[in-house]
Amino acid sequence: MNKLAARISQVNPSITLTITAKAKTMKAEGLDVCSFSAGEPDFDTPNHIKLAAKQALDQGKTKYGAAAGEIGLRQAIANKLKKDNNLDYKPENIIVTNGGKHSLYNLMMALIEEGDEVIIPAPYWLSYPEMVTLAGGKSVIVTTTAEHHYKITPEQLKQAITSKTKLFVLNSPSNPTGSVYSPSEIKALAQVIIDHDILVVSDEIYEKILYDDTTHLSIGAVNEEIFKRTIISNGFAKAYSMTGWRVGYIAGDINLIKAMTTVQGHSTSNVCTFAQYGAIAALESSQECVEEMLVSFTQRRKVMYSAVKSIPNVSTTLPQGAFYLFIDISKTGLKSLEFCDKLLTQEQVAVIPGIAFGDDNCIRLSYATDMVSIEKGMTRLGNFIQSL
Ligand code: GLU
C-alpha cells in the first residue's frame, strides 16, 4: 500500500506498546520474561470500582451517552479537582475521554494547527511529540539534564518561546524520569507562561504516586492568571489500576472543552458508559486502595533503586513520583535500542529504550510490577551489564 497519508510517515509506532506486546508474546511462548516495559500497575482494579461498573451494566447503562461524558462523572471530577487540587471547574469545563492519551490527542486536534509550536521538555513521554505532529504542529524539544533532575528551568522555557508558541507541556510527576516539580518551581514556570501569554497543559496522571515528603502543586492553582491559561489532563489508569478501562479527562476553558467534544463527537463518541460508573466510584469511595498501592510502589522503588545503584557502569536518580527508574547506560558503550534488544534476547528482560523518550543514553524501567520479577530482573540486568 503506497497511498497512505503523508502524516503517517512522520510518526513512529508506540515503542512502549510494541515492547510490552513483545514481552507478553514471549511469556505466552513459555519464556521466563521479566517485563519492566509498560507503566501498568500489576494490581487488579479495586473491587468496589468493578462492582459499580457491574451494577451500571445491570441497570442498563449500556446505551450511548453524552459525548463529553456522564454528567455524574463530570460532577465527580469537578469535586475532585476542587478537593485535591484547589481548582474551580464546573462539569461544563470537563470532558471525559478514552484515557489520558486520548485526552491529549483530542486536545492537540482541537488546539494545534500548522505553524503552531509546542514546547516539550525532554525526556518526555513518547506520545506527546507524535500527537503534535499528527495535529500538524511543531514540537520544540528542550533538553533537560540528570544534574537538574530532568526539569526544565524558567530560563530554558523563556528561551524556547517564540511568537509561534501556543502550548507548553508540563508533566509532573514525570514519565519517564520520576521527577516532580516543587511548588516554587511550578510558580516560577507559571510566571513565564503568564508573561508570554501561552497555554500550558499539565499532565497530572501520576499525581497520586509521590514518595517521601514530595508534594504536588497543580499549576492552575497558583493564581487566576495562570488558571486561565491552564488545561488539566488526568485519568484513572495509574492511581486506580484501571489501565484497560480507558477513562481519562481534560478540564479547561469552556470553549476548548466544546471544541474537544466536537472532535470526540465525530470520532469515538462517549467513553464506554458503564466504565464511567466505575470511575465515579473510584473518585467518590474511600481512597484507601490508592494508599495501599502506593505502599507497594514505595517498597518496589527502594528495592529496584538500590539494586541498580549496586550495578557498575550505570547511574540513576531516585524518583520522587510515578513508578519509573530512568537509568543512564552511556558508560556501557551501547545506545539505548541496541542495549534493550540485547537485554531482551540474552536475559529475557524487557525495558524501554530512552530514545523513545528523547534520550538515547538512557533506558526506562517500570517498577509497577511484582517484587519477584524485580529481584530476578535486577540480577539479570547486573549479569548483562557485566557481560558487555
Ligand atoms: N503510559 C504508559 C507508559 O508510558 C503506558 C503505555 C503507553 O501508553 O505509552 O508505559
Side-chain angles (χ1 to χ4, degrees):
M1 172 67 128
N2 58 2
K3 289 187 177 166
L4 297 178
R7 77 178 77 88
I8 282 302
S9 64
Q10 292 159 15
V11 291
N12 300 301
S14 166
I15 300 188
T16 43
L17 300 186
T18 310
I19 295 184
T20 305
K22 189 170 175 189
K24 278 190 182 155
T25 309
M26 287 171 72
K27 269 188 194 173
E29 284 165 356
L31 290 166
D32 178 23
V33 178
C34 295
S35 182
F36 306 111
S37 47
E40 174 164 51
D42 58 324
F43 309 108
D44 196 4
T45 301
N47 213 35
H48 64 280
I49 300 175
K50 293 204 282 188
L51 213 58
K54 283 182 202 167
Q55 271 167 5
L57 262 177
D58 290 341
Q59 289 163 1
K61 309 276 192 207
T62 54
K63 304 291 184 194
Y64 291 133
E70 294 291 287
I71 189 67
L73 178 53
R74 293 162 81 198
Q75 184 63 61
I77 293 167
N79 297 346
K80 174 259 177 250
L81 290 169
K82 180 67 192 162
K83 186 166 133 281
D84 292 357
N85 309 109
N86 198 23
L87 297 168
D88 284 307
Y89 288 114
K90 296 192 170 68
E92 300 80 61
N93 295 105
I94 292 160
I95 178 171
V96 180
T97 60
N98 285 282
K101 188 181 288 188
H102 188 225
S103 284
L104 293 159
Y105 180 77
N106 280 350
L107 171 69
M108 297 305 173
M109 292 309 286
L111 199 64
I112 300 304
E113 60 194 339
E114 200 79 30
D116 286 341
E117 292 181 357
V118 179
I119 299 175
I120 304 176
Y124 46 75
W125 178 52
L126 72 173
S127 295
Y128 298 145
E130 306 293 34
M131 289 170 181
V132 172
T133 303
L134 285 170
K138 181 179 165 219
S139 297
V140 175
I141 305 296
V142 178
T143 304
T144 65
T145 60
E147 292 68 45
H148 246 274
H149 299 278
Y150 296 113
K151 293 189 249 188
I152 189 171
T153 63
E155 204 47 49
Q156 280 182 304
L157 177 59
K158 216 180 288 176
Q159 276 169 12
I161 295 173
T162 71
S163 58
K164 292 179 179 162
T165 307
K166 196 175 243 180
L167 182 68
F168 167 54
V169 180
L170 176 66
N171 175 218
S172 177
S174 151
N175 173 9
T177 66
S179 312
V180 179
Y181 287 79
S182 70
S184 63
E185 288 166 337
I186 292 283
K187 285 176 192 160
L189 291 176
Q191 196 54 52
V192 177
I193 292 159
I194 296 165
D195 290 346
H196 293 82
D197 198 19
I198 60 169
L199 298 170
V200 56
V201 57
S202 182
D203 179 354
E204 307 191 351
I205 191 100
Y206 296 98
E207 66 165 333
K208 299 283 179 194
I209 304 167
L210 295 169
Y211 307 106
D212 308 327
D213 299 328
T214 311
T215 54
H216 167 75
L217 172 64
S218 188
I219 192 163
V222 170
N223 60 37
E224 262 311 301
E225 284 304 307
I226 190 72
F227 181 70
K228 287 192 279 193
R229 295 169 174 83
T230 298
I231 301 143
I232 304 289
S233 180
N234 207 330
F236 295 82
K238 315 295 182 182
Y240 300 98
S241 201
M242 290 171 66
T243 47
W245 290 61
R246 310 315 298 142
V247 191
Y249 57 91
I250 285 255
D253 173 83
I254 198 154
N255 288 328
L256 171 69
I257 299 303
K258 276 187 190 157
M260 288 181 62
T261 306
T262 301
V263 173
Q264 187 151 296
H266 288 298
S267 48
T268 59
S269 301
N270 61 284
V271 170
C272 169
T273 308
F274 51 86
Q276 294 187 56
Y277 286 85
I280 296 176
L283 291 179
E284 293 188 340
S285 308
S286 153
Q287 299 300 295
E288 223 171 283
C289 56
V290 178
E291 283 152 33
E292 277 168 18
M293 288 188 252
L294 182 59
V295 170
S296 294
F297 292 140
T298 308
Q299 286 163 351
R300 295 162 179 194
R301 161 186 176 257
K302 191 173 165 206
V303 170
M304 190 181 261
Y305 177 74
S306 51
V308 170
K309 284 305 255 188
S310 71
I311 301 174
N313 284 334
V314 293
S315 60
T316 190
T317 49
L318 184 64
Q320 291 307 308
F323 35 59
Y324 305 106
L325 217 58
F326 204 57
I327 305 175
D328 187 327
I329 51 143
S330 54
K331 284 196 190 141
T332 65
L334 297 182
K335 287 296 180 192
S336 65
L337 263 178
E338 194 187 352
F339 185 100
C340 294
D341 267 355
K342 286 191 164 159
L343 180 62
L344 186 57
T345 316
Q346 285 182 29
E347 296 285 346
Q348 276 105 50
V349 174
V351 307
I352 308 290
I355 194 165
F357 311 109
D359 188 341
D360 206 9
N361 289 322
C362 291
I363 56 169
R364 189 197 76 176
L365 273 61
S366 160
Y367 51 86
T369 191
D370 65 283
M371 199 65 103
V372 174
S373 300
I374 292 176
E375 280 167 355
K376 195 159 47 168
M378 290 309 99
T379 306
R380 293 183 190 178
L381 179 67
N383 292 344
F384 172 71
I385 289 170
Q386 276 199 324
S387 78
L388 293 173

